[in-house]
Amino acid sequence: MRIAIISIVILALLLGCDTKTSVSPNLYIGAYRSMDQLIPYPYIIYEEETALHLYNNEGEVIDSVNDASLEAGDDIRFKTKHFELLGKGTKGFMAFDVLDTLNFRKTKNNKPIYKNSAIFKQVHSDVALDIDAVKAELVNSVWAYDVIADENSTPNNDFDIAELFHFNKDSVDVITSYSYEGLNIVSQKTSKTYHVFEVAGVYFLSFEKTDDNPQPIYQILSFDSEKLVLKDFSSREVKDITYNKQATSKEVYKEALEAATSYSNCFDGFQGQYYYGDDVTYNKGNAFLVDYVKEGLPETETNSGYVIVHFNINCEKRLGDFGLILMDRQYKATTFSKDFVYHIVNKVRVLTDFPSSASQMEWLEYEDVHAFLMFKITNGKLVDLCP
């Protein structure tokens, strides 16, 4: 019954209409797979009159098949992927790869589990771009993105999160800054490769880490010397995001990059929760953590409430992808001094003595976990901690 309900809901979402832009009716982007995990699925399918073409995240044709169509119930037999189309609407279709038995799991009766399917969304475009000019303008420039939260994001109310991108010839360095009331609390960095390409008159930007850590493909909606606008399909609610060119010099960016600490999820697609299986909680216990964070805590704070620091623990036992929620004793939004928040977050940031974050369950795979520490504050004093 639950599978049937999920399939009906997903099909209803796909059957909606979108009339805001012109349509490229035969081009579909892999948005994500697994409805409850939203793992990026970086493929593109282009439907011509007599053939279907499958593209990877670099814009390369992986395979083509003749005399095939994208209709519900059809089978599309590429060499490395055999898609069963479980449903199709005006916005896209749901596909199940029967060759990938690890990620597309079936029931005991060998029936597709709808929630494990991949969602492909129809691509809309009404722009023409010069790909070589886009690539040339991106390189050796710094671009800023004020992060827009979605269902993939770490819980956060009080951090302002921004990313700074510096594109090199084939790779990009990314600094993620977490600020509170104008003060930079934490900066972390990572690097990855990127690709700019065109398929059937539509333009894309993709990032890449490793084969087993898929990254989304973004559609390029517009581009000029000052602004890059992308469409992000990687969550249920499609959103537009904007990179704004900065006047920051390469030298200043390099200094910021050197000052930032390294962090990357080992698998960006999905993180478990700290309480799955055996709890992934700090090995030395809460009493140690309270004493550790108390040391050097600014004494100028007088407020009471809770400072909740959210984070991911990756497979190397490093912390990143931070979130911050500040509440009073009635669990309503409040504030604490910048120095107070800076001290607590940076004490937490360097913790490493955690159990393994790897999944302990055969039916749910992940390498990193989401966790949090909730510090109870009374008149500016740290008095307790949970969980």
Side-chain angles (χ1 to χ4, degrees):
M1 178 61 73
R2 291 185 63 191
I3 293 174
I5 292 173
I6 291 172
S7 66
I8 291 170
V9 171
I10 297 300
L11 286 172
L13 292 173
L14 289 173
L15 289 172
C17 294
D18 188 341
T19 59
K20 293 182 180 179
T21 57
S22 61
V23 179
S24 299
N26 302 318
L27 194 64
Y28 300 86
I29 188 170
Y32 50 81
R33 64 171 176 83
S34 190
M35 309 305 146
D36 54 352
Q37 298 177 39
L38 304 182
I39 298 168
Y41 200 64
Y43 297 95
I44 293 172
I45 292 180
Y46 175 44
E47 181 183 25
E48 289 190 308
E49 186 174 345
T50 59
L52 294 174
H53 308 286
L54 179 66
Y55 293 78
N56 64 13
N57 67 329
E58 299 181 34
E60 301 171 336
V61 178
I62 301 174
D63 195 13
S64 299
V65 293
N66 296 317
D67 300 321
S69 64
L70 295 174
E71 296 297 332
D74 285 352
D75 289 345
I76 307 171
R77 296 176 178 268
F78 295 113
K79 292 178 181 177
T80 57
K81 294 189 174 297
H82 177 184
F83 289 125
E84 291 183 3
L85 266 64
L86 303 183
K88 185 168 187 277
T90 57
K91 285 187 177 181
F93 60 86
M94 180 191 301
F96 194 92
D97 184 5
V98 299
L99 296 183
D100 186 354
T101 56
L102 177 62
N103 294 315
F104 293 77
R105 296 181 179 178
K106 293 186 175 183
T107 67
K108 294 180 180 180
N109 297 325
N110 202 36
K111 300 293 184 182
I113 298 176
Y114 277 71
K115 76 176 188 68
N116 293 340
S117 301
I119 294 297
F120 282 81
K121 295 189 177 181
Q122 192 175 50
V123 177
H124 306 258
S125 180
D126 55 4
V127 299
L129 297 174
D130 183 335
I131 282 291
D132 291 332
V134 173
K135 293 178 180 178
E137 191 68 39
L138 280 177
V139 171
N140 293 325
S141 297
V142 177
W143 302 79
Y145 166 48
D146 292 329
V147 174
I148 301 173
D150 58 31
E151 57 199 315
N152 296 312
S153 304
T154 302
N156 174 63
N157 289 343
D158 294 290
F159 271 144
D160 293 320
I161 304 176
E163 293 179 337
L164 280 179
F165 295 78
H166 181 262
F167 289 86
N168 305 298
K169 182 179 179 181
D170 299 309
S171 64
V172 59
D173 297 312
V174 186
I175 300 174
T176 303
S177 298
Y178 303 85
S179 299
Y180 173 66
E181 294 189 342
L183 177 66
N184 182 32
I185 304 296
V186 176
S187 289
Q188 296 192 309
K189 63 185 175 184
T190 189
S191 61
K192 44 195 171 184
T193 58
Y194 73 95
H195 310 280
V196 178
F197 59 93
E198 175 263 336
V199 177
V202 183
Y203 307 89
F204 300 95
L205 169 67
S206 68
F207 296 110
E208 184 175 359
K209 289 186 177 179
T210 59
D211 290 340
D212 56 358
N213 190 5
Q215 307 293 303
I217 299 176
Y218 302 91
Q219 182 191 353
I220 302 176
L221 295 180
S222 64
F223 179 83
D224 58 39
S225 60
E226 299 299 323
K227 184 168 63 176
L228 170 65
V229 181
L230 306 172
K231 187 173 285 292
D232 180 1
F233 297 88
S234 62
S235 62
R236 274 176 277 264
E237 293 293 329
V238 177
K239 65 183 180 184
D240 294 351
I241 61 178
T242 301
Y243 294 1
N244 292 295
K245 193 173 184 179
Q246 305 295 291
T248 308
S249 68
K250 290 190 293 184
E251 291 72 23
V252 171
Y253 185 87
K254 184 178 180 180
E255 291 178 3
L257 191 68
E258 291 176 349
T261 57
S262 295
Y263 178 82
S264 179
N265 292 322
C266 297
F267 184 69
D268 289 299
F270 176 74
Q271 289 77 50
Q273 296 295 331
Y274 74 92
Y275 50 81
Y276 290 177
D278 295 332
D279 283 1
V280 182
T281 53
Y282 196 66
N283 285 326
K284 294 179 182 178
N286 281 7
F288 172 88
L289 285 174
V290 169
D291 290 340
Y292 163 75
V293 175
K294 274 184 178 179
E295 185 178 357
L297 187 68
E299 298 180 357
T300 54
E301 180 60 62
T302 59
N303 200 2
S304 297
Y306 303 93
V307 176
I308 309 171
V309 184
H310 287 264
F311 48 86
N312 288 346
I313 307 168
N314 73 6
C315 64
E316 298 174 346
K317 301 183 181 181
R318 294 185 177 183
L319 306 191
D321 277 4
F322 291 100
L324 178 68
I325 298 176
L326 306 178
M327 300 187 301
D328 62 20
R329 287 293 174 82
Q330 286 70 48
Y331 305 105
K332 296 179 180 179
T334 191
T335 60
F336 290 90
S337 70
K338 291 185 282 188
D339 290 345
F340 195 79
V341 171
Y342 182 94
H343 174 88
I344 291 176
V345 173
N346 276 278
K347 280 282 194 172
V348 170
R349 175 181 63 82
V350 296
L351 296 173
T352 58
D353 193 3
F354 289 93
S356 171
S357 62
S359 173
Q360 303 166 35
M361 296 169 283
E362 293 183 3
W363 56 272
L364 184 62
E365 296 183 3
Y366 54 84
E367 297 185 49
D368 322 288
V369 298
H370 162 256
F372 69 91
L373 294 174
M374 182 174 181
F375 297 94
K376 184 177 181 179
I377 311 299
T378 299
N379 299 325
K381 307 297 183 183
L382 198 169
V383 297
D384 201 1
L385 169 65
C386 65

